[in-house]
Amino acid sequence: MEKYDKLEKVGEGTYGKVYKAQDKTTGQLVALKKTRLEMDEEGIPPTTLREISLLQMLSQSIYVVRLLRVEHVEKNGKRLLYLVFEYLDTDLKKYIDSYKRAEGQILSRFPSRVIQSFLYQLCKGVDHCHSHGVLHRDLKPQNLLVDKEKGILKVADLGLGRAFTIPLKSYTHEIVTLWYRAPEVLLGSTHYSIGVDMWSVGCIFAEMVRRQPLFAGDSELQQLLHIFRFLGTPDEEKWPGVSSLRDWHDYPQWKPQSMANALPLLEPEGIDLLSKMLEYNPSNRISAKEAMEHPYFDNLDKSQF
Ligand code: PVB
């Protein structure tokens, strides 16, 4: 690790601390993600190796954050694994927040062209993962890294891609956000698929437009109730099989609200695409590949991607 100058701690992701660092010989900025390895095992655990090779494979797309190297170090009897990534200067959460703060001073909107471009890149990154058989399962603005200068958005934090269950707590025991979680997951479905990521993409799309989360629940039940209040309570007609899911109960009955009224800043094609991402029945939910062909993107210059 003498190859790098550690500059500062960027923060803590769901899976470990992230540092900004600089390669001493090339000057390249990198992000170091530190993972502690268990002592009772020789070498690197197969699950970790599997995760690394998946990351290496997926980071061939420019819409997935690039894993550059893996460094295995032993220090004071502790075994550490550093994943060395390309460095990006912010995440989508901070990027959205920067428009909020500017509002008080000068009227500054998240330009709809940027929203359109970011959503397209997000679909491209997610489609890349799905075409390699990997679900992200925890897409949220904090996991989307942004290169402000180039206007590029990349999917990060794929560590979860292979875990069996979606955690409620991170390694530091902070509460994992439920805001982007699909209703089938909240209702205890264990046979979920690419639809779980597309639901998150829909929530992120709406959040870019509103500059506020769409469904901000603080418990699994509250999260479901937020969704039901907005989209109407699902039933067997809208979503065959819903009442057989493990955690299904009799919920209050709500009628769907008008999405266009709730998102007055979004043009009709955007409303149509969002409603296809927030489709209850996971098997009818739009895929990332289909979304990229949606008329919402018709006036986007796709040759730049
Ligand atoms: N943030 C890989 N990686 C990164 N992971 C995170 C990065 C980053 N770059 C490569 N970059 C930044 C840099 C500055 C800021 C932010 Cl939010 C992100 C800033 O403060 O404006 N992860 C962070 C968490 C550790 C909080 C964001 O998800 C390791 C993928």
Side-chain angles (χ1 to χ4, degrees):
M1 294 310 290
E2 309 76 50
K3 290 201 271 296
Y4 308 101
D5 269 326
K6 237 190 218 181
L7 301 176
E8 66 204 38
K9 190 169 128 184
V10 178
E12 311 217 352
T14 325
Y15 291 91
K17 291 190 178 114
V18 177
Y19 296 89
K20 179 180 185 177
Q22 188 168 33
D23 188 313
K24 283 179 188 165
T25 47
T26 67
Q28 183 188 28
L29 288 177
V30 295
L32 303 177
K33 196 169 189 171
K34 197 162 101 173
T35 326
R36 168 93 52 85
L37 289 176
E38 293 308 322
M39 276 319 292
D40 53 327
E41 279 180 271
E42 280 284 317
I44 301 171
T47 50
T48 308
L49 281 176
R50 207 175 132 73
E51 204 175 293
I52 292 167
S53 63
L54 258 160
L55 266 171
Q56 276 168 336
M57 175 179 81
L58 291 173
S59 66
Q60 295 311 306
S61 162
I62 69 152
Y63 303 105
V64 173
V65 77
R66 172 153 276 149
L67 179 64
L68 303 168
R69 283 176 293 280
V70 179
E71 309 276 0
H72 186 196
V73 282
E74 295 193 27
K75 198 175 142 195
N76 311 326
K78 284 185 197 153
R79 295 172 54 217
L80 299 170
L81 202 64
Y82 282 95
L83 304 185
V84 185
F85 289 92
E86 65 175 321
Y87 177 80
L88 277 101
D89 53 14
T90 198
D91 65 17
L92 185 62
K93 186 172 188 282
K94 287 232 171 134
Y95 191 90
I96 294 173
D97 283 348
S98 72
Y99 282 100
K100 276 190 207 151
R101 233 168 290 118
E103 201 175 36
Q105 293 116 28
I106 316 154
L107 191 73
S108 147
R109 303 207 299 125
F110 195 158
S112 46
R113 285 285 179 179
V114 178
I115 296 176
Q116 188 189 41
S117 162
F118 278 6
L119 183 64
Y120 189 79
Q121 296 177 62
L122 173 56
C123 288
K124 221 170 153 134
V126 169
D127 176 53
H128 181 75
C129 298
H130 290 175
S131 67
H132 286 83
V134 177
L135 301 180
H136 188 291
R137 303 185 213 213
D138 193 28
L139 288 169
K140 55 187 176 188
Q142 231 198 349
N143 283 343
L144 303 175
L145 299 178
V146 172
D147 181 328
K148 284 186 277 192
E149 208 136 286
K150 297 197 185 115
I152 294 176
L153 177 142
K154 304 193 185 211
V155 174
D157 232 344
L158 280 144
L160 199 62
R162 288 282 125 165
F164 280 102
T165 54
I166 299 180
L168 270 173
K169 299 270 176 73
S170 75
Y171 81 109
T172 49
H173 310 294
E174 66 184 284
I175 311 280
V176 168
T177 184
L178 300 166
W179 302 350
Y180 309 93
R181 199 161 285 189
E184 63 271 28
V185 177
L186 293 165
L187 287 168
S189 166
T190 46
H191 300 283
Y192 48 78
S193 183
I194 60 169
V196 299
D197 287 338
M198 294 314 294
W199 181 275
S200 310
V201 171
C203 295
I204 293 163
F205 181 20
E207 185 164 336
M208 287 195 282
V209 175
R210 293 160 38 99
R211 280 163 292 150
Q212 278 191 60
L214 182 60
F215 306 126
D218 50 15
S219 68
E220 290 181 290
L221 177 63
Q222 287 307 319
Q223 187 63 31
L224 274 174
L225 299 182
H226 273 293
I227 296 169
F228 294 173
R229 252 180 248 127
F230 185 59
L231 297 172
T233 310
D235 54 30
E236 281 295 321
E237 195 186 323
K238 270 193 253 185
W239 181 359
V242 68
S243 58
S244 314
L245 294 176
R246 192 191 67 200
D247 298 329
W248 176 259
H249 294 100
D250 278 318
Y251 297 97
Q253 292 297 310
W254 284 289
K255 286 193 168 51
Q257 285 182 43
S258 150
M259 217 177 262
N261 287 349
L263 292 114
L265 292 173
L266 187 57
E267 64 263 45
E269 294 295 12
I271 295 288
D272 185 75
L273 175 56
L274 178 62
S275 65
K276 289 178 163 124
M277 291 171 167
L278 300 180
E279 156 72 46
Y280 270 128
N281 186 345
S283 45
N284 293 343
R285 208 171 289 154
I286 197 167
S287 69
K289 199 172 240 40
E290 289 163 349
M292 287 160 64
E293 298 301 319
H294 189 277
Y296 171 66
F297 295 117
D298 278 358
N299 61 358
L300 178 73
D301 172 21
K302 291 178 186 164
S303 67
Q304 61 182 309
F305 301 114

